Amino acid sequence: MACTTILIGKAASFDGSTIIARNEDSPGGQFEPKKMHVVSPEEQPRTYTATASHVTIELPDNPMRYMSVPDALPGHGIWAAAGINEANVAMTATETITSNERVLGADPLVELRPAHGREGEEDFEPEVPGGIGEEDMVTLVLPYIRSAREGVQRLGELLERYGTYEMNGIAFSDVDEIWWLETVGGHHWIARRVPDDAYVTMPNQLGIDSFDLADAEGAQKEHMASADLRSWMAKNHLDLTLSSGSVGFAAKASSTSPVADIFNPREAFGSHSDSDHVYNTPRAWYMQRCLNPSDRWDGPAAALSPESDNIPWCRVPERKLTIEDVKYVLSAHYQGTPYDPYGKLGTEATRGLYRPIGINRNGQLAVLQIRPDRPESCRGVQWMAFGSNVFNALVPFYTNVDEAPAYLENTTERVTSESFYWANRLIAALADARFRENSAHIERYAEKVGALGHQMLRETDAVIADLEAEAAPHLLKDANERMAKDLKRETEKLLSNVLFTTSLSMKNAFAMSDN
């Protein structure tokens, strides 16, 4: 799936939290309804079979409860997407990323091979299951990990054993660390710890641009990887680093190429295709343009352009970053540039040149915040938005609860404004038709809902600080329900305003009144 991710280290965030966030976008021509759902230990499967690849995996007997954002309609898998478990470990999976022919030839993706012929006949070939993918990863990993580092280790073991049928990036966070894992071919992977003082932008490309293989093979302080990564890279001539006296190299046989201790995975494993320059790199360019605005981003003297292949994987921001910053960049449509499809700058051609971040196919945005200055009982907060991010608002919910509010969980096939998901889809379709007239309604709504969310967190945190831990889930559930009630009220107001404004501009309007 096409998605956009941002990760913010604890020293770069406004309150010392670790923050990981991702837009989950449907493929072209699809709009996948989503819901918010708490998975209890009793609901978690003990034998898991993937819908897409048919792989069957036995799971441990001790799962933890966790929040999730699965597909709302049954039939093609869970796609749990994002959540925080009861140990306050967060996971978002996955960001679809790119690769190249050399990697996929050296370690092919593990794709489902359907049965061929008829059973019992001489030419019959039984089905061969594929590996794991985005459909599966949160369900297979999040209920069993107690740190971000453990998340990397568990997923890495699953990838090495079962393989994957797609290239993906996965984020894990706890109160201290954020780790980013990228799959490399069918069975290999790399993972890097996000620097505490930095943020990371990921726009559907393999992103890590510097990797310390010696650390991954040793202390694993900041890097982890498949155990055989160096030998596999050497055998298949994947490292493109030029030899230098200042860089360590190692190779075991004359038939292999030496591999630098520090190399660039984006060059070795990633892509720089023409389509990347339209679909992927412009998104990283714009996010970093927003978060490091003092750099020169425009004109012939710009250090980086929307089509640059060397946009950094991580950067130190110019100031501490907020939840609102996350929402803005993950809703962006190139505001203030010639590439804004709703803007007046540039030309008709430039306004449709690059793929926006806030796109019609946004299904959900989950911003996962682990707060260090709160008790463990209320440390995890999952901020949620449904539908196209240009037209929605981000709302916080505590994750140490047994169930999600009905307004966010009751997504069904039936289109109804009683569902938060469908209300947002209706608002977006109406507001998009008259963007300029409706944009003020959207901005006021987002500000009002965001303020209510911060107020709810502040007031609830103050009460829960004086309670025993076992009393917290009930109080947090009540707070979530109040938040959902306020959210429903404000969303219905917005729907009414947008409907009225767009109705005034219908093509069959006529100036002469019937009265």
Side-chain angles (χ1 to χ4, degrees):
M1 289 196 179
C3 307
T4 310
T5 293
I6 185 168
L7 316 172
I8 301 174
K10 60 187 179 183
S13 73
F14 71 109
D15 66 347
S17 296
T18 56
I19 300 172
I20 63 176
R22 178 177 64 96
N23 289 343
E24 181 183 0
D25 305 337
S26 298
Q30 298 181 32
F31 300 91
E32 187 65 52
K34 302 294 294 186
K35 66 179 181 179
M36 195 175 189
H37 177 66
V38 177
V39 182
S40 67
E42 296 73 26
E43 183 183 352
Q44 175 71 3
R46 298 311 188 266
T47 300
Y48 177 85
T49 300
T51 301
S53 68
H54 298 183
V55 65
T56 296
I57 299 174
E58 297 299 323
L59 297 178
D61 287 329
N62 58 339
M64 288 180 281
R65 183 192 66 239
Y66 61 103
M67 189 66 78
S68 67
V69 195
D71 287 0
L73 307 185
H76 55 280
I78 298 173
W79 301 82
I84 300 173
N85 69 20
E86 61 183 276
N88 290 313
V89 179
M91 177 181 181
T92 178
T94 70
E95 177 85 20
T96 305
I97 60 176
T98 54
S99 188
N100 62 61
E101 298 88 336
R102 299 181 304 280
V103 169
L104 299 179
D107 183 8
L109 298 175
V110 184
E111 299 177 336
L112 170 68
R113 285 173 25 206
H116 177 75
R118 294 184 178 181
E119 190 170 0
E121 294 184 355
E122 185 176 350
D123 64 346
F124 173 70
E125 296 178 7
E127 176 185 275
V128 178
I132 61 174
E134 181 171 349
E135 173 197 340
D136 321 303
M137 289 181 181
V138 170
T139 302
L140 297 177
V141 176
L142 185 56
Y144 310 104
I145 57 175
R146 294 191 170 273
S147 70
R149 187 178 291 263
E150 280 187 19
V152 172
Q153 293 166 340
R154 175 166 173 80
L155 181 55
E157 291 170 359
L158 290 169
L159 289 166
E160 291 172 17
R161 180 174 179 182
Y162 297 100
T164 181
Y165 55 85
E166 57 188 357
M167 294 282 292
N168 281 315
I170 300 94
F172 300 94
S173 65
D174 54 38
V175 72
D176 293 315
E177 294 187 321
I178 300 174
W179 282 83
W180 176 252
L181 182 151
E182 295 181 328
T183 62
V184 181
H187 300 84
H188 291 85
W189 56 275
I190 58 174
R192 183 174 163 187
R193 186 182 184 274
V194 176
D196 291 338
D197 63 350
Y199 68 91
V200 167
T201 56
M202 284 296 306
N204 286 135
Q205 274 185 292
L206 193 140
I208 298 175
D209 54 7
S210 179
F211 194 82
D212 188 336
L213 190 51
D215 180 42
E217 293 170 332
Q220 298 186 346
K221 183 178 179 181
E222 308 284 341
H223 305 78
M224 289 188 274
S226 309
D228 68 338
L229 188 70
R230 186 190 294 272
S231 61
W232 173 71
M233 290 177 65
K235 181 179 179 180
N236 292 282
H237 315 288
L238 293 176
D239 183 16
L240 304 183
T241 306
L242 292 172
S243 298
S244 169
S246 63
V247 179
F249 282 82
K252 292 187 177 180
S254 59
S255 62
T256 64
S257 297
V259 177
D261 284 344
I262 298 177
F263 71 97
N264 185 336
R266 194 184 296 177
E267 296 292 346
F269 308 138
S271 65
H272 301 298
S273 68
D274 292 339
S275 61
D276 285 332
H277 298 153
V278 173
Y279 201 80
N280 296 327
T281 56
R283 285 182 275 158
W285 171 82
Y286 191 79
M287 285 192 282
Q288 295 188 19
R289 186 181 190 271
C290 292
L291 303 180
N292 286 85
S294 297
D295 291 358
R296 187 181 292 274
W297 295 99
D298 303 295
L304 297 168
S305 77
E307 299 185 19
S308 295
D309 288 325
N310 60 335
I311 297 173
W313 176 69
C314 69
R315 297 194 65 173
V316 176
E318 293 185 11
R319 59 167 175 78
K320 292 187 175 183
L321 303 180
T322 67
I323 297 296
E324 290 70 39
D325 291 321
V326 173
K327 177 62 168 68
Y328 187 84
V329 297
L330 291 184
S331 304
H333 44 91
Y334 305 111
Q335 299 94 307
T337 77
Y339 315 118
D340 183 358
Y342 298 111
K344 295 182 179 180
L345 301 177
T347 66
E348 189 171 332
T350 63
R351 292 180 206 123
L353 188 58
Y354 299 133
R355 188 264 204 207
I357 300 169
I359 198 170
N360 63 332
R361 294 183 277 109
N362 297 143
Q364 62 88 12
L365 162 59
V367 181
L368 310 177
Q369 181 186 16
I370 311 297
R371 308 179 299 167
D373 58 344
R374 301 299 180 218
E376 290 188 10
S377 59
C378 64
R379 183 165 283 176
V381 175
Q382 184 155 326
W383 297 75
M384 288 301 309
F386 285 154
S388 179
N389 288 340
V390 180
F391 306 100
N392 63 19
L394 199 55
V395 195
F397 295 96
Y398 290 101
T399 57
N400 183 19
V401 293
D402 293 326
E403 60 181 325
Y407 188 46
L408 284 86
E409 186 161 17
N410 67 352
T411 310
T412 64
E413 192 170 8
R414 176 174 172 261
V415 178
T416 169
S417 61
E418 294 299 310
S419 157
F420 185 51
Y421 172 83
W422 287 116
N424 278 279
R425 283 284 309 281
L426 291 168
I427 289 166
L430 288 166
D432 177 84
R434 305 298 298 183
F435 178 81
R436 290 189 179 91
E437 294 91 331
N438 282 305
S439 59
H441 297 315
I442 304 296
E443 289 179 2
R444 286 194 292 268
Y445 166 74
E447 183 180 76
K448 180 65 177 291
V449 168
L452 288 170
H454 283 291
Q455 178 183 351
M456 182 273 288
L457 293 176
R458 176 176 55 80
E459 293 175 351
T460 307
D461 287 346
V463 174
I464 208 167
D466 299 324
L467 296 179
E468 298 294 331
E470 56 269 19
H474 180 73
L475 176 67
L476 299 180
K477 178 184 174 182
D478 287 346
N480 284 354
E481 292 292 348
R482 291 193 302 274
M483 184 73 251
K485 183 178 179 180
D486 290 342
L487 174 63
K488 186 173 187 291
R489 182 189 66 244
E490 297 302 323
T491 303
E492 289 176 347
K493 285 182 184 177
L494 176 62
L495 178 58
S496 176
N497 288 333
V498 168
L499 177 60
F500 177 78
T501 300
T502 302
S503 296
L504 291 176
S505 302
M506 291 173 65
K507 293 186 183 302
N508 61 354
F510 199 75
M512 183 180 294
S513 174
D514 293 332
N515 293 331

